[in-house]
Amino acid sequence: MIQLKTDDEVDIMRESAKLAAEVLVMIEPFVQPGVTTNRLNDLCHDFIISHGAIPSPLNYRGFPKSICSSVNEEICHGIPSDRKLRNGDVINLDITTYLNGFHGDTSRMFHVGSARKKMSRLVETCKEALQSAIKLVRPGAFLGDIGATIQNLAEERGYSVVREFCGHGIGRAFHEDPQVLHVGTFGEGLELRKGMVFTIEPMINEGKPDLKILADKWTAVTTDGLASVQFEHTLAVLENGCEVLTRIDGLTDF
Ligand code: MF3
Ligand code: CO
Ligand code: CO
């Protein structure tokens, strides 16, 4: 069942979402060759706690850390560890905060050290795919419009879209209805309504879309070992369009 949010609830959600976005701004200068993903986890954890919030991933269905960190061929749900980042790696940091009874969820890619050209093209495509999907979000549009836009752009450039994970409604619960697929057909699926709040979080693979889950039961990786990238925003459907709750003007560029 879809939990439509009132204007007052969207006001409250804005705070949690903004904090999640601020974590990504805070952490950027620390994403450098030699840093461990545990260190990034701890910095994010402390920042979230010091702002009176809770990191939603911690203990969520047994997840052991406060953020997800997914490097190179890791698609999502990577667990922070003693792994040291290396020059040329690409990493997604996925931040979810719980504040005043509501969750906010956002993630972005970082190039570690110098960006490889091949990776820049993949990362920019994923960012563009999310942005073009967001532009369509308004009452009367369809979930299929979102999926189709992302799928068309990714496949046009020779990439593929991960099917096993999707965006989701978000609010008092971390994951609510509806499921927001990143593939689809224009005009199909659920019609959007004012008060819906959900994430769009496309995972785009350099090669094949296939994945497997590692023995840690969380980390999803590509089966072909090629890179996977992801960006995520939380957005609210308004009367005449939408508001990206995890975007901070002038500070976030996606
Ligand atoms: N933040 C992820 C999402 O975008 C979910 C992470 S679940 C966790 O939906 F348990 F791995 F944290
Ligand atoms: Co997320
Ligand atoms: Co999400």
Side-chain angles (χ1 to χ4, degrees):
M1 205 191 66
I2 294 178
Q3 308 278 347
L4 293 180
K5 277 77 184 176
T6 64
D7 291 348
D8 288 345
E9 286 173 323
V10 172
D11 284 345
I12 303 171
M13 287 198 74
R14 206 173 271 121
E15 297 307 309
S16 186
K18 182 161 167 266
L19 178 61
E22 284 168 348
V23 175
L24 288 176
V25 174
M26 178 280 295
I27 203 66
E28 179 164 21
F30 296 98
V31 184
Q32 298 292 342
V35 77
T36 66
T37 49
N38 266 339
R39 169 101 175 112
L40 299 177
N41 176 82
D42 295 350
L43 287 162
C44 293
H45 177 93
D46 291 348
F47 185 88
I48 292 165
I49 296 293
S50 73
H51 285 77
I54 288 170
S56 312
L58 189 58
N59 301 321
Y60 176 79
R61 299 186 181 195
F63 191 79
K65 294 283 180 171
S66 298
I67 67 170
C68 296
S69 58
S70 307
V71 184
N72 297 339
E73 78 285 357
E74 295 173 354
I75 296 170
C76 64
H77 303 164
I79 303 174
S81 70
D82 288 334
R83 176 183 188 154
K84 280 195 170 88
L85 297 182
R86 298 163 57 167
N87 187 54
D89 283 347
V90 287
I91 183 171
N92 173 279
L93 296 180
D94 192 338
I95 311 295
T96 315
T97 51
Y98 184 70
L99 180 65
N100 298 327
F102 289 92
H103 297 270
D105 193 6
T106 182
S107 85
R108 59 159 282 193
M109 298 305 299
F110 300 88
H111 294 280
V112 180
S114 36
R116 295 181 201 277
K117 224 177 174 174
K118 231 177 158 181
M119 285 302 107
S120 293
R121 182 173 176 270
L122 178 62
V123 166
E124 290 310 304
T125 299
C126 187
K127 190 194 289 187
E128 257 180 68
L130 174 57
Q131 288 168 338
S132 4
I134 288 172
K135 287 201 183 109
L136 302 176
V137 175
R138 56 171 177 76
F142 297 89
L143 281 181
D145 303 348
I146 294 172
T149 302
I150 292 165
Q151 182 176 16
N152 287 350
L153 186 65
E155 292 180 356
E156 221 165 73
R157 304 238 175 124
Y159 302 132
S160 65
V161 180
V162 171
R163 312 296 210 259
E164 287 86 345
F165 298 101
C166 50
H168 50 92
I170 181 167
R172 295 186 189 277
F174 193 163
H175 294 105
E176 299 182 353
D177 286 341
Q179 295 196 354
V180 180
L181 274 63
H182 304 113
V183 295
T185 307
F186 285 102
E188 290 190 358
L190 188 76
E191 187 172 340
L192 303 183
R193 288 180 58 188
K194 174 176 151 51
M196 288 181 180
V197 180
F198 56 84
T199 72
I200 306 177
E201 47 182 299
M203 285 142 274
I204 310 271
N205 291 0
E206 187 185 6
K208 293 199 171 75
D210 313 76
L211 65 78
K212 61 182 183 197
I213 308 290
L214 297 185
D216 64 19
K217 301 231 175 73
W218 281 102
T219 314
V221 300
T222 60
T223 50
D224 62 12
L226 295 178
S228 181
V229 300
Q230 180 178 29
F231 286 84
E232 173 176 25
H233 270 310
T234 295
L235 38 135
V237 182
L238 307 181
E239 206 126 19
N240 292 308
C242 73
E243 178 179 339
V244 183
L245 302 179
T246 42
R247 198 179 263 161
I248 310 173
D249 286 338
L251 277 182
T252 43
D253 76 331
F254 69 102

